[in-house]
Amino acid sequence: MARPPASEQVQVNFRMPADLKARIEAAAEANNRTTTAELVATLEEKYPPIPDRSDVELSHRAITIRGIDAALQQVRANMIRQLDGGRADAGLLALLGPFIKED
């Protein structure tokens, strides 16, 4: 992760148990990072950025599209079963064909 400019950083001072500090320092050394970088990386993992509204809307749209796609696949499967039994309209299946994935 790229380091933000100094104007976007804040200094935080707090107390922690000595054994926790030692574990963080050991992890930092194992990951070839400074203690601060190790703390930031761990906190970033634990507290990811909150998505903005546009990300949430896009995610909702993707879920909706997947649901519509699944419904169309079910319609296609039902029509194929009906065609096999001579009960479906082949013209309707041909019309929907470009919008429905092939198996």
Side-chain angles (χ1 to χ4, degrees):
M1 179 177 154
R3 185 176 180 180
S7 62
E8 295 179 17
Q9 297 181 45
V10 295
Q11 184 173 3
V12 179
N13 298 307
F14 59 93
R15 296 182 188 277
M16 72 173 74
D19 66 317
L20 176 58
K21 182 176 184 273
R23 292 188 311 237
I24 294 167
E25 290 170 338
E29 186 174 332
N31 292 320
N32 199 29
R33 298 193 263 231
T34 65
T35 302
T36 299
E38 185 67 26
L39 284 166
V40 170
T42 302
L43 291 170
E44 284 282 357
E45 184 178 321
K46 176 66 178 171
Y47 301 101
I50 297 170
D52 65 21
R53 186 169 171 82
S54 62
D55 290 344
V56 172
E57 288 174 8
L58 288 174
S59 177
H60 177 71
R61 288 179 185 163
I63 290 167
T64 301
I65 289 169
R66 284 194 295 271
I68 292 169
D69 183 60
L72 285 172
Q73 297 309 315
Q74 186 62 44
V75 167
R76 179 181 181 277
N78 289 340
M79 291 184 75
I80 288 171
R81 277 195 295 278
Q82 289 179 7
L83 271 175
D84 290 342
R87 296 184 311 266
D89 184 307
L92 183 57
L93 183 61
L95 180 67
L96 291 175
F99 304 102
I100 303 174
K101 295 179 194 169
E102 292 295 325
D103 291 337

